[in-house]
Amino acid sequence: MSEPTGLRARKKERTRDAIGDAAVSLFLERGFDGVSVNDIAAAAEISKPTLFRYFPTKEDLVLHRFADHQGEAARVVRDRRSGIKPVTALHRHFRAGLDGYDPVTGLNDHPEVVAFHRLVFTTPSLAARLTRYQLEDEEALADALGEGIQARLQAAQVLAVQRVLARTNWQKIADGRTARDVHPEAVTDADQAFNQLR
Amino acid sequence: MSEPTGLRARKKERTRDAIGDAAVSLFLERGFDGVSVNDIAAAAEISKPTLFRYFPTKEDLVLHRFADHQGEAARVVRDRRSGIKPVTALHRHFRAGLDGYDPVTGLNDHPEVVAFHRLVFTTPSLAARLTRYQLEDEEALADALGEGIQARLQAAQVLAVQRVLARTNWQKIADGRTARDVHPEAVTDADQAFNQLR
DNA sequence: GTTACTCGGTTAAAAAAGCAACCCGGTCAA
DNA sequence: TTGACCGGGTTGCTTTTTTAACCGAGTAAC
């Protein structure tokens, strides 16, 4: 099933994970600006140049978790079964994320996850960089949807919807509610939003 | 206190330990000839050339634990306090090893240690290589003792004594007795042997 | 009696990592 | 105002590791 991973690939992935995990846990502990890249490199037991070989900027040390979902929307559209409309496929995918309490839907009450979201949303440079990721995502989705202004508009709207839904869910959880408790209204919100898109 | 270990040195040491540990545990499990160097490299998650960069031959994967004590006798003689005769210093050092149940004295009943000794003593190529290590050790000790045939003879005798004592202890433990039980007679054996050397 | 393994060990080239030194913009103090 | 740090990144050079291919000896199959 899984590709025949050589030693090289396996170790690279491990190093990447080690850096990312060390970074996030330090950030959650002392805040984005309270941690230097030197600290992270030391914690991950790698050198500074190596760190920057894996992550181009300090921000990416946080956002790689979003970056890993990069292009997901476009993929969902491309891989949909024939006869299914793009928006429907995206709707179902989001719904599945909700049911699985996927962190990207905002519907996850693990303390670490909610702290992580707070970190991202309350650190300006991170929020800024995040929107850049979302723009790239939007372009990819637009390409998957077709050409012309119609596709671009729809892509923008879909991602805007997802963004709002995720933030809404996260906000409710940040206010102290549990994911299971919020789940029903998250579903109806999503149904309503996606239905309006059609 | 401890040397300023850079990343490089730290990782090298870890890699070496990983290889050595993987090798020994596989050998104990399936015997020296039941394990290929490829198996060991795979278990240690390194490539075959890397393995041979750390250990020149397959035998050394086992014997590095002895190699780590290489030159110890010579060092004991050189570092003895003034007024102490070499044989006395070596005697006291061996006695201290006995009291600390140092594996090199054979007086250690940890299952892993006794299995390890059996592995070494019952695998011809290992036993052969081990005597080569002991010869080097002997030369170093001879140099520490002085020059001429006198020093060489004494070095050979001291190491022969230690070898016999260690094997005797190990044999008793291999027969099922505990190290603590064997300890008193190990001490009297050592006292007798070293006294005869003077 | 080839052929085709396996196993210990080596080689050459290329990828990756380490190290030290550096650039640039900020900040704080003399 | 200068000068000395510290922060995020970068640059070159060296060391380490992976990879794939190979050698030479043994050995089992046909």
Coordinates of all heavy atoms in Angstrom, one line a residue, chain B residues 6-8 11 35-37 48-49 52 56-58, chain C residues 6-13 16-20:
Chain B
G6 N 29.2 19.3 20.2 CA 28.4 19.8 19.1 C 27.3 18.8 18.6 O 27.3 17.7 19.1
L7 N 26.5 19.3 17.8 CA 25.5 18.4 17.2 C 26.1 17.2 16.6 O 25.6 16.1 16.8 CB 24.6 19.2 16.2 CG 23.5 20.0 16.7 CD1 22.8 20.7 15.5 CD2 22.5 19.1 17.3
R8 N 27.1 17.5 15.8 CA 27.7 16.4 15.0 C 28.2 15.3 15.9 O 27.8 14.1 15.7 CB 28.9 16.9 14.2 CG 29.1 16.3 12.9 CD 29.0 17.2 11.7 NE 30.2 18.0 11.5 CZ 30.3 18.8 10.4 NH1 29.3 18.9 9.6 NH2 31.3 19.5 10.3
K11 N 25.3 13.3 17.6 CA 24.6 12.4 16.7 C 25.4 11.2 16.3 O 24.9 10.1 16.2 CB 24.1 13.1 15.5 CG 23.0 14.1 15.8 CD 22.4 14.8 14.5 CE 21.2 15.7 14.9 NZ 20.7 16.4 13.7
V35 N 22.3 -13.6 11.8 CA 21.9 -12.2 11.5 C 22.9 -11.7 10.5 O 24.1 -11.9 10.6 CB 22.0 -11.4 12.8 CG1 21.6 -10.0 12.5 CG2 21.2 -12.0 13.9
S36 N 22.4 -11.1 9.4 CA 23.3 -10.5 8.4 C 23.5 -9.0 8.7 O 22.7 -8.4 9.4 CB 22.7 -10.7 7.0 OG 21.6 -9.7 6.8
V37 N 24.6 -8.5 8.2 CA 24.8 -7.1 8.4 C 23.7 -6.2 7.8 O 23.4 -5.1 8.3 CB 26.2 -6.6 7.8 CG1 27.3 -7.3 8.6 CG2 26.2 -6.9 6.4
K48 N 24.2 0.3 4.7 CA 25.3 -0.7 5.0 C 26.7 0.0 5.0 O 27.5 -0.2 5.9 CB 25.3 -1.8 3.9 CG 26.1 -3.0 4.3 CD 25.7 -4.2 3.5 CE 25.9 -4.0 2.0 NZ 26.3 -5.3 1.3
P49 N 27.0 0.9 4.0 CA 28.3 1.6 4.1 C 28.4 2.4 5.4 O 29.5 2.5 6.0 CB 28.2 2.5 2.9 CG 27.3 1.9 1.9 CD 26.3 1.2 2.8
F52 N 29.5 0.1 8.1 CA 31.0 -0.2 8.1 C 31.9 1.0 8.3 O 33.1 0.8 8.6 CB 31.3 -0.9 6.8 CG 30.9 -2.3 6.7 CD1 29.8 -2.7 5.9 CD2 31.5 -3.3 7.5 CE1 29.4 -4.1 5.9 CE2 31.1 -4.6 7.4 CZ 30.1 -5.0 6.7
P56 N 34.5 -1.7 11.6 CA 35.2 -2.2 10.4 C 34.8 -3.6 10.0 O 34.9 -3.9 8.8 CB 36.7 -2.2 10.9 CG 36.6 -2.0 12.4 CD 35.4 -1.3 12.7
T57 N 34.4 -4.4 10.9 CA 34.0 -5.8 10.6 C 32.7 -6.2 11.4 O 32.4 -5.5 12.4 CB 35.0 -6.8 10.9 OG1 35.1 -7.0 12.3 CG2 36.4 -6.4 10.3
K58 N 32.1 -7.3 10.9 CA 30.9 -7.7 11.6 C 31.3 -8.1 13.1 O 30.5 -7.9 14.0 CB 30.4 -9.0 10.9 CG 29.0 -9.4 11.4 CD 28.6 -10.7 10.7 CE 27.2 -11.2 11.1 NZ 26.9 -12.5 10.5
Chain C
dT6 P 18.9 -13.8 -2.6 OP1 17.6 -14.0 -1.9 OP2 19.2 -12.5 -3.2 O5' 20.0 -14.1 -1.5 C5' 20.1 -15.4 -0.8 C4' 21.3 -15.4 0.0 O4' 22.5 -15.6 -0.9 C3' 21.5 -14.2 0.8 O3' 21.7 -14.5 2.2 C2' 22.8 -13.5 0.2 C1' 23.5 -14.7 -0.4 N1 24.4 -14.4 -1.6 C2 25.7 -14.8 -1.5 O2 26.2 -15.4 -0.6 N3 26.4 -14.4 -2.6 C4 26.0 -13.7 -3.7 O4 26.7 -13.4 -4.7 C5 24.6 -13.3 -3.7 C7 24.0 -12.6 -4.8 C6 23.8 -13.7 -2.6
dC7 P 21.7 -13.4 3.3 OP1 21.0 -14.1 4.5 OP2 21.2 -12.2 2.7 O5' 23.2 -13.2 3.7 C5' 24.1 -14.3 3.9 C4' 25.5 -13.9 3.9 O4' 26.0 -13.7 2.6 C3' 25.7 -12.5 4.6 O3' 26.6 -12.5 5.6 C2' 26.1 -11.6 3.4 C1' 26.8 -12.5 2.5 N1 26.8 -12.1 1.1 C2 28.0 -12.2 0.3 O2 29.0 -12.7 0.8 N3 28.0 -11.7 -1.0 C4 26.9 -11.2 -1.5 N4 26.9 -10.8 -2.8 C5 25.7 -11.1 -0.7 C6 25.7 -11.5 0.5
dG8 P 26.8 -11.2 6.6 OP1 26.8 -11.7 8.0 OP2 25.9 -10.2 6.2 O5' 28.3 -10.7 6.3 C5' 29.4 -11.5 6.6 C4' 30.6 -11.0 6.0 O4' 30.4 -10.9 4.5 C3' 31.0 -9.6 6.4 O3' 32.4 -9.5 6.6 C2' 30.6 -8.7 5.2 C1' 30.7 -9.7 4.0 N9 29.8 -9.3 3.0 C8 28.4 -9.2 3.0 N7 27.9 -8.9 1.9 C5 28.9 -8.8 1.0 C6 28.9 -8.5 -0.4 O6 28.0 -8.3 -1.1 N1 30.2 -8.6 -0.9 C2 31.4 -8.9 -0.2 N2 32.5 -8.9 -0.9 N3 31.4 -9.1 1.1 C4 30.1 -9.1 1.6
dG9 P 33.0 -8.2 7.3 OP1 34.4 -8.6 7.8 OP2 32.1 -7.7 8.2 O5' 33.2 -7.3 6.1 C5' 34.2 -7.6 5.1 C4' 34.2 -6.6 4.0 O4' 32.9 -6.8 3.2 C3' 34.2 -5.1 4.3 O3' 35.5 -4.6 3.9 C2' 33.0 -4.5 3.5 C1' 32.7 -5.6 2.5 N9 31.4 -5.6 2.0 C8 30.2 -5.7 2.7 N7 29.1 -5.5 1.9 C5 29.6 -5.3 0.7 C6 29.0 -5.1 -0.6 O6 27.8 -5.0 -0.8 N1 29.9 -4.9 -1.6 C2 31.2 -5.0 -1.5 N2 31.9 -4.7 -2.6 N3 31.9 -5.2 -0.4 C4 31.0 -5.3 0.7
dT10 P 35.8 -3.1 3.9 OP1 37.3 -2.9 4.1 OP2 34.9 -2.4 4.8 O5' 35.5 -2.6 2.4 C5' 36.1 -3.3 1.3 C4' 35.8 -2.6 0.0 O4' 34.4 -2.8 -0.3 C3' 36.1 -1.1 0.0 O3' 37.0 -0.8 -1.0 C2' 34.7 -0.5 -0.2 C1' 33.9 -1.6 -0.9 N1 32.5 -1.6 -0.7 C2 31.6 -1.4 -1.7 O2 32.0 -1.3 -2.9 N3 30.3 -1.4 -1.4 C4 29.7 -1.6 -0.2 O4 28.5 -1.6 0.0 C5 30.7 -1.8 0.9 C7 30.2 -1.9 2.3 C6 32.0 -1.7 0.6
dT11 P 37.6 0.7 -1.2 OP1 38.9 0.5 -1.7 OP2 37.3 1.4 0.1 O5' 36.7 1.3 -2.3 C5' 36.6 0.7 -3.6 C4' 35.6 1.4 -4.5 O4' 34.2 1.1 -4.0 C3' 35.7 2.9 -4.5 O3' 36.0 3.4 -5.8 C2' 34.4 3.5 -4.0 C1' 33.4 2.3 -4.2 N1 32.3 2.2 -3.2 C2 31.0 2.1 -3.7 O2 30.7 2.2 -4.8 N3 30.1 2.0 -2.7 C4 30.3 1.9 -1.3 O4 29.4 1.8 -0.6 C5 31.7 2.0 -0.9 C7 32.0 1.9 0.5 C6 32.6 2.1 -1.9
dA12 P 36.5 4.8 -6.1 OP1 37.4 4.7 -7.3 OP2 37.0 5.5 -4.9 O5' 35.2 5.5 -6.6 C5' 34.5 5.0 -7.7 C4' 33.3 5.8 -8.0 O4' 32.2 5.5 -7.1 C3' 33.5 7.3 -7.9 O3' 32.8 7.9 -8.9 C2' 33.0 7.7 -6.5 C1' 31.8 6.7 -6.4 N9 31.5 6.3 -5.0 C8 32.4 6.2 -3.9 N7 31.8 5.8 -2.8 C5 30.5 5.7 -3.2 C6 29.3 5.2 -2.5 N6 29.4 4.9 -1.2 N1 28.2 5.2 -3.1 C2 28.1 5.5 -4.4 N3 29.1 5.9 -5.2 C4 30.3 5.9 -4.5
dA13 P 32.9 9.5 -9.2 OP1 33.2 9.6 -10.7 OP2 33.8 10.1 -8.2 O5' 31.4 10.0 -9.0 C5' 30.4 9.2 -9.6 C4' 29.0 9.6 -9.0 O4' 28.9 9.1 -7.7 C3' 28.9 11.2 -8.9 O3' 27.5 11.5 -9.2 C2' 29.2 11.4 -7.4 C1' 28.6 10.2 -6.8 N9 29.1 9.8 -5.5 C8 30.4 9.9 -5.1 N7 30.5 9.5 -3.8 C5 29.3 9.1 -3.4 C6 28.8 8.6 -2.2 N6 29.5 8.4 -1.1 N1 27.5 8.3 -2.2 C2 26.7 8.5 -3.3 N3 27.1 9.0 -4.4 C4 28.4 9.3 -4.5
dA16 P 18.0 15.7 -0.5 OP1 16.7 15.1 -0.3 OP2 18.1 17.0 -1.2 O5' 18.7 15.9 0.9 C5' 18.9 14.7 1.7 C4' 19.9 15.0 2.8 O4' 21.2 15.3 2.3 C3' 19.5 16.2 3.7 O3' 19.3 15.8 5.0 C2' 20.6 17.2 3.5 C1' 21.8 16.3 3.2 N9 22.9 16.8 2.5 C8 22.9 17.5 1.3 N7 24.1 17.9 0.9 C5 25.0 17.4 1.9 C6 26.4 17.4 2.1 N6 27.2 18.0 1.3 N1 26.9 16.8 3.2 C2 26.0 16.2 4.0 N3 24.7 16.1 4.0 C4 24.2 16.7 2.9
dA17 P 18.6 16.6 6.1 OP1 17.8 15.7 6.9 OP2 18.0 17.8 5.5 O5' 19.8 17.1 7.0 C5' 20.5 16.1 7.7 C4' 21.8 16.7 8.2 O4' 22.6 17.1 7.1 C3' 21.6 18.0 9.0 O3' 22.0 17.7 10.4 C2' 22.6 19.0 8.4 C1' 23.4 18.2 7.4 N9 23.8 18.9 6.2 C8 22.9 19.4 5.3 N7 23.5 20.0 4.2 C5 24.9 19.8 4.5 C6 26.1 20.2 3.9 N6 26.1 20.8 2.7 N1 27.2 19.8 4.4 C2 27.2 19.2 5.6 N3 26.2 18.8 6.3 C4 25.0 19.1 5.8
dG18 P 22.1 18.8 11.4 OP1 22.0 18.2 12.7 OP2 21.3 20.0 11.0 O5' 23.7 19.3 11.3 C5' 24.7 18.3 11.6 C4' 26.0 19.0 11.6 O4' 26.3 19.5 10.3 C3' 26.1 20.2 12.5 O3' 27.3 20.2 13.3 C2' 26.1 21.4 11.6 C1' 26.7 20.8 10.3 N9 26.1 21.4 9.1 C8 24.8 21.5 8.7 N7 24.6 22.0 7.6 C5 25.9 22.3 7.1 C6 26.3 22.9 5.9 O6 25.6 23.3 4.9 N1 27.7 23.0 5.8 C2 28.5 22.6 6.8 N2 29.8 22.8 6.6 N3 28.2 22.0 7.9 C4 26.8 21.9 8.0
dC19 P 27.4 21.2 14.5 OP1 28.2 20.5 15.6 OP2 26.1 21.8 14.9 O5' 28.4 22.3 13.9 C5' 29.5 21.9 13.2 C4' 30.2 23.1 12.6 O4' 29.6 23.4 11.4 C3' 30.1 24.4 13.5 O3' 31.4 24.8 13.8 C2' 29.3 25.4 12.6 C1' 29.5 24.8 11.2 N1 28.3 25.1 10.3 C2 28.6 25.5 9.0 O2 29.8 25.6 8.6 N3 27.6 25.7 8.1 C4 26.3 25.5 8.5 N4 25.3 25.7 7.6 C5 26.0 25.1 9.8 C6 27.1 24.9 10.7
dA20 P 31.6 26.0 14.9 OP1 32.8 25.5 15.7 OP2 30.4 26.4 15.5 O5' 32.2 27.2 14.0 C5' 32.9 27.0 12.8 C4' 32.8 28.2 11.9 O4' 31.7 28.1 11.1 C3' 32.7 29.5 12.7 O3' 33.6 30.4 12.0 C2' 31.3 29.9 12.6 C1' 31.0 29.4 11.1 N9 29.6 29.1 10.8 C8 28.6 28.7 11.7 N7 27.4 28.6 11.1 C5 27.7 28.9 9.8 C6 26.8 29.0 8.7 N6 25.5 28.7 8.7 N1 27.4 29.4 7.5 C2 28.7 29.7 7.5 N3 29.6 29.7 8.5 C4 29.0 29.3 9.6

